[in-house]
Amino acid sequence: MNRARADEEEYWHSSKFRAFTFDDEDDELSQLKESKRAVNSLRDIVDDDDDDLERVSWSGEPVGSISWSIKETASGSTSSLEGRDSSLQKGSSSYAALPKQVSSYSLSSLFKGRNKLPSFQSLSDALTDTGVKNYAPELRRPKAEYKDYSSDWSPKDTVRRMQRGKVCSLERFRSLQDKLVLLDEAVAGHDGNVITAVLIFLKRTLRREILFRELEVRQVALCHLIHFLRETGEQKLLLDLLRFLDRTEEVALSQYREHLNIQDVEKRREFLKGCIGLPFSAEDTSHIQDHYTLLERQIIIEANDRHLEMAGQSELFRKYPRKASILNMPLVTTLFYSCFYHYTEAEGTFSSPTNLKKTFKIPDKQYVLTALAARAKLRAWDDVDALLTTKNWLGYTKKKAPIGFHRVVEMLQRNNAPVQVLQEYVRLVEDVETRLNLATKYKCHDVVIETYRDLKDRIQLTAYKSKVERGSAEEEKINSILNNMQIRWKN
Amino acid sequence: MAFAGRRDAPEPPDFGILKRLARDQLVYLLEQLPGKKDLFIEADLMSPLDRIANVSILKQHDVDKLYKVETRPAPGASDQFCFLVRPRVRTMRFIADIVNADKMSGRSRKYKIIFSPQKFYACEMVLEEEGVFGDVTCDEWSFYLLPLDEDIISMELPEFFRDYFLEGDHRWINPVARALQLLNSLYGPFGKAYGIGRCAKMSHELWRDLEEESEGEGQGRKPEIGHVFLMDRDVDYVTALCSQVVYEGLVDDTFRIKCGSVDFGPDVTSSDRSIKVLLNAQDKVFSQIRNEHFSSVFGFLSQKSRNLQAQYDRRRGMDIKQMKDFVSQELKGLKQEHRLLSLHIGACESIMKKKTKQDFQETIKAEHSLLEGFDIRESTSFIEEHIDRQVSPIESLRLMCLLSITENGLIPKDYRSLKTQYLQSYGPEHLLTFHNLKRIGLLTEQAAGETLTAVESKVSKLVTDRAAGKITDAFNSLARKSNFRAISKKLGLIPRVEGEYDLKMPRDMAYVFGGAYVPLSCKIIEQVLERRGWQGLEEVVRLLNGNEFSVSDSTVEDNPAWESQRVILTVFLGGCTFSEIAALRFLGKERGCKFIFLTTAITNSARMMEAMIEARA
């Protein structure tokens, strides 16, 4: 055995042949065991002084210096190998015994090429048994075992072998019956890799309608084919399959998905236009329509604004140069942009906020929120005020926010709003504790003072005196409140 | 035997051997292409590779230049190319392009592809189609298991989640079975296997299948791991969707722990550079705070700082000799500790800053309401506002999913309105994301779920049992109800506590979520181990959609005295979070047993959500 191995190694090293020209069928367990033992027996020679290393093996071999061990084997040190066989046997029971399967992986790469493509062998491949004899007769197994290596694997065995990464010709599964049994076995074997391999074979050897029909009642296999087609990008076949299955919504989504791969905006826009008619649900159709319209708008706005910016005549663009193009941005971002650069435009223009609001039916709340953020960013406090002011039918004005006023305060503060602006909204924060916290944090003294007054909290108010400047109006205010005999302090 | 008596938990087995196995096989494979070669490495294999080998090892084996896959080789490249890749179609095309370009220009080279952890037939098909089959040789690097820590082993296959649960592809089941086989051969034999979930069941079957062939070589050996518990991620999405509040989880949510290490940016290191830190049991500071609720971490760190200061202060009043001893013996340790302390304090500060900005407190409050099932309207408006303010696309998705899964789907009106607002805030292409989330069952409409179930039962009546099984399988992923409310009630996942929950002295696993919720996945494991099977859990199992199993290997000696009886390998198919790990570590300490975690990848809510987003090809 070792002799044979040595020869083979020699061949391996000397030959310019690529590994895959060997037939990949010498997986016989006995041979494997032999080989494993042989390689294992090198343990003693190979090991360096690290004791632990002995346990280090991915398949029973002392892998620490595999390449060295290969050379040793090749140089024909057979005698030393045999001498070690027994010691190894003893050893193996105390070692963590590694599964044979794993070792077949490594060993097979040692002795033979494993690069044959199992599922695509042609008839000629089925005959390579003889070919092997010519190249490496040593690899032949004893005659008695011949039957194992004929191509008569049962579907179950075929799947099993494929699961172990071994070569198996699928060509002999020619009747539909055989193909389906093979597929069912693959599914029952729980190995997606094999299921896909069988599907690739079926896809190649069956008319698609037949394949589709059979997959319809085999959902697991169907999932695999769909995933495979997605990964390999066989979009046309995928769509045919989905149509066959009447999964119209998925047909639409799969087509729509392709827009992600279109970089050119004009082409993307055209593509999206084509998507509108796809069989989406009613709800999604309107989303697709919006997507198209949005991109259409963005293209127009982008062209205009780039022009404006280049011309350098708009003060706004000069002062706040655009950081990025508006193309392919979400609607809310587009609205923000338009509130930032085009706030005062008449509704007639595509870039005006009101136009966007109308076209895309943006809810009031969303609109106000976005406009607030944009105007605050520009520190246009009057606009902020206007956005938060509502008039009732009697003409009275009232402050109203679509979100809590504490959020409004945060937003303004982040944009460095002056205290005068800030405190107007801090005052409107409903929750007293939050209001006090915010007012203290942002030094809105008036609000703090008034709140303590309303709370009739003399102690806190007195304490707050230390936080305001000496001789300031605030201090005076505190003093006057504290001296107010009308207030019935709670403490 | 798992919970018999309160003993100290056993030490975990030594998993270092796994790293060496992987490294040695890689070295062997590199030697298969003798001589100078350039190595192209798949981006997501780099970090795992870093954990087991380094450049000098690669150089020792004649690797000349290193490239990332997707970058074109430089003109002066070597005569041999080796590609270390995941089995992906895209990568095959990249390689084929290189080979074909060489062919066109008459350049002759040797090419070798090393697939990790295994080769797929589909990849070979692509190579064949591209006309380079035969020009390249292929090999497999069976690198299934990367020990991230003394009790965590990762398969580093984040794509498992999407491939299996969304696409229904079973390609990773074989690697899982092989990983189990390897662990069983090194640390087993496992006497008892429990599990729940379809994938768990299939992986277990395939693994047993592989074991049968290996002739039971391990029989009679004294095992180091006695039990194995397999669980599908879709058994419990809720836990994975929650905000993490134990330190390690928070660090992962905030900075992303990658392959057991994290990049702390300038805001943490308070310098101008980033530092890469390995986070594991070896880090003396980290190991003491990783499982703690965030609120107890500050106290610990400041105590630790004071101690450190005191130790430094001893220098004062030392004579020369003492000083010499101090410098030679203690200073290095103290310096190391000092470095670690300042890093973790910096990390805490940065987390606090970020979380305050994100209204973390309010988010947690909304989450707790969802878990407990009250104020649903209020939580819904909270989510809505989140979306409207464009806070974070991933966070918004996460909250929507949590709402959906705890409520068995959104009511159609809410679904439509949240979806519309989401598309407006974050981009219309998320239509595809919503479709994916619906398919996987993370974000559904109440009515839709019921319709599918009706179809399913109708179809089942029509066809034979076997076919019905298949169809049901397919529908399973689409239309399963989460039944969270009922399960939560049955298992008591929401602790009833009088007064404050003391997070510093946790009473149960709920501490990992601030005392508000016991992670479902961990509760199931606890219950099954306690009962040594699923008896008495029939109703829960039914609500979890079945697929439970409990198998004893009669050939394995069952010696209750063995420590291995108290070592349990928990296998998370589709990912496991640091919160779950912390919860089970806690349980292990309480019950005197040790949990070893095998996961397809470390996950968290953000990774799960990102896996649902469609990217350009």
Side-chain angles (χ1 to χ4, degrees), chain A residues 57 66 105 117 164 257, chain B residues 21 28 128 140 213 614:
Chain A
S57 56
I66 277 285
Y105 264 93
L117 194 62
R164 276 72 174 158
R257 191 191 180 288
Chain B
L21 289 177
Y28 166 72
E128 186 178 3
E140 282 175 339
E213 282 170 26
E614 294 291 323

Side-chain angles (χ1 to χ4, degrees), chain A residues 88-105:
Chain A
L88 168 91
Q89 296 252 299
K90 207 163 47 184
S92 70
S93 58
S94 65
Y95 287 126
L98 281 136
K100 205 148 284 115
Q101 219 31 67
V102 178
S103 40
S104 86
Y105 264 93

